[in-house]
Amino acid sequence: MNITNKKWKLSLPHSYTLIFLIIITVAALTWIVPSGQFERHEVTVNGVTKTAIVSGTYHSVPKTGENGDLRQGIPQILSAPIEGIINAADVVSFVLIVGGSFGIILQTGAIDRALTALARRLKNKGILLIPIAMVIFSLGGSTFGMSEEIIPLYAIFIPLMFALGFDSMTAILILFLGTQIGYVGSTVNPFSVLIAQGIAGVEGNPQLWLRFIEWLVFTAISIAFTMWYAHRVKRNPEKSIVFQSDIINREQFIKESTDEDVVFTFRDKLIIGGFIVTLGAIVWGILVKGWYMTEIGALFFALGIFVGVVTKMSQKEIAENFVKGCGEFIYAAVIIGLARGILIIAEQGMIIDTVLNALASVLEGLPSYLFTTIMLLAHNIITFLVPSSSGEAALTMPVLAPLGDLVGINREAVVTAYQFGNGLTNLISPTGGVLLAGLAIARISFGQWLKVIFKLFPILWLIAAIFAAISAAVGI
């Protein structure tokens, strides 16, 4: 008898299972962590209105009473995923509309031929695309808060990386790490730095010069890491952490061509031209008109119809390809809603303000040289419950900014610690929808992502702690 001994291997559960386990954990915390809340008022900064807390107004709330039973049990746990999907309906519908539109576009094969031609033109210089793309996406994150806007680009960059000899993880690093590192090194991001400065009472972005240096350093390190990873995969594809799943991805995203010369028809040129015009319109709309998911989704929907008409698809073919595209993105859409369920449980249990008040109490008694580092850690914790940069700014700045005054730390350093904590945590947090959407589209597990990003995360965190201390030291 032959007995095969298998080495026991620790692995994270499926992403859906992981999120549900976190929901259960947070629900359990609502029984243990005291409930409480701050008083709130409306604050408008740079045209963005948020509900901010009033410092010094925290008070405990009974677990049972006029607010109902704040202890989250089995009924709340089971309903949290549904409520999360409803709460995130705008993002979910955006992902499905974009997915359906790409289903029509990809069916034509025009993008396959365009990517094959681009890969052949670049040949062995394809790795140069990484720094160019990441600088653009990082600038987008740093200046106008580019985030959800990259979700449609996953379907483009994944096959492009395949054509260049890389893997789907490289696409995630370029897109998600690129934009998120822009958030970490925010300069004039209205949804991060500017709203935090406004609520904290900081005028004129006085450390913009330092923020620009921070952005350069974080972006350069992230580009170097991504290029190292991509080069390693291209040299030995089997070393890719997503080697097996990419076998399926290649079949889905790109059709291998055996022809030496790819000939573009007039229809192909119209499709690619329409896609480029759509992207240009999106960039213009975001920068000039303040467009968001509704307008962007409408443009992609129009693009899908345009492509169907240009390629002379019947109305039935357009509809069927749209449904097929939605099917490919449904995993990504649902996981965004599930992640939102975590926040809903914490809010219903009224424990977020308690956590914030406890952290504020710890920070208040610290010497100044430890203040920014511990505050960075505090924001790492808070971001897990409140991944939204603007939401966290409205929640924390009214309490933490005055603490800086008490220990002699300028409020700009408090803002810097916040932006670093929020941006870095969203690199590794399962509560962030944009990351989970990209991983779902690329069929990459959250555990696989952590194995890659944790090679970079400690370096980024250490540099963030140093920059936060410098921000406190130079003053304003």
Side-chain angles (χ1 to χ4, degrees), residues 37 42 61 77 90 93 145 229 248 275 357 405 417 449 458:
Q37 64 180 162
E42 297 292 326
V61 176
I77 291 172
D90 54 345
S93 59
Y229 176 86
I248 300 174
F275 183 77
N357 186 62
D405 299 336
W449 167 253

Side-chain angles (χ1 to χ4, degrees), residues 338-376:
L338 294 180
R340 189 71 62 89
I342 299 171
L343 177 59
I344 288 175
I345 287 290
E347 288 178 339
Q348 291 177 346
M350 300 180 71
I351 62 173
I352 295 178
D353 286 8
T354 300
V355 172
L356 177 59
N357 186 62
L359 290 171
S361 299
V362 172
L363 288 167
E364 187 173 357
L366 288 176
S368 59
Y369 63 88
L370 284 178
F371 186 86
T372 54
T373 301
I374 301 302
M375 183 171 282
L376 175 58

Side-chain angles (χ1 to χ4, degrees), residues 199-214:
I199 296 174
V202 177
E203 298 181 1
N205 207 340
Q207 290 186 356
L208 182 59
W209 61 273
L210 180 58
R211 296 189 184 285
F212 182 70
I213 295 173
E214 293 164 358

Side-chain angles (χ1 to χ4, degrees), residues 383-398:
T383 303
F384 181 81
L385 295 173
V386 188
S388 167
S389 59
S390 59
E392 183 174 345
L395 181 69
T396 61
M397 286 301 104

Side-chain angles (χ1 to χ4, degrees), residues 51-232:
T51 301
I53 63 178
V54 179
S55 180
T57 62
Y58 175 82
H59 58 278
S60 61
V61 176
K63 288 292 183 182
T64 58
E66 61 181 20
N67 293 308
D69 192 344
L70 302 180
R71 299 169 298 181
Q72 304 296 289
I74 294 178
Q76 290 78 21
I77 291 172
L78 295 177
S79 62
I82 301 171
E83 292 184 24
I85 292 174
I86 294 173
N87 190 267
D90 54 345
V91 185
V92 172
S93 59
F94 171 72
V95 171
L96 292 178
I97 288 292
V98 169
S101 300
F102 267 104
I104 300 171
I105 298 168
L106 293 175
Q107 185 63 31
T108 67
I111 290 180
D112 297 334
R113 292 185 286 274
L115 294 177
T116 301
L118 177 61
R120 288 175 180 169
R121 182 179 291 271
L122 291 173
K123 294 183 179 178
N124 294 326
K125 297 179 181 178
I127 200 166
L128 296 179
L129 181 66
I130 293 174
I132 295 172
M134 290 189 72
V135 166
I136 293 173
F137 293 131
S138 182
L139 272 174
S142 179
T143 56
F144 63 87
M146 189 178 192
S147 183
E148 288 88 352
E149 295 84 357
I150 66 168
I151 292 177
L153 300 181
Y154 285 121
I156 298 299
F157 269 77
I158 291 173
L160 177 57
M161 291 303 104
F162 290 156
L164 294 174
F166 306 129
D167 62 358
S168 58
M169 183 66 78
T170 306
I172 303 297
L173 288 170
I174 292 174
L175 290 168
F176 178 71
L177 177 59
T179 53
Q180 194 58 41
I181 209 65
Y183 259 83
V184 175
S186 289
T187 51
V188 293
N189 183 344
F191 305 106
S192 177
V193 167
L194 296 189
I195 193 170
Q197 288 176 331
I199 296 174
V202 177
E203 298 181 1
N205 207 340
Q207 290 186 356
L208 182 59
W209 61 273
L210 180 58
R211 296 189 184 285
F212 182 70
I213 295 173
E214 293 164 358
W215 175 80
L216 281 176
V217 172
F218 284 123
T219 302
I221 292 174
S222 299
I223 289 173
F225 175 80
T226 303
M227 292 180 72
W228 166 80
Y229 176 86
H231 177 73
R232 181 170 174 266

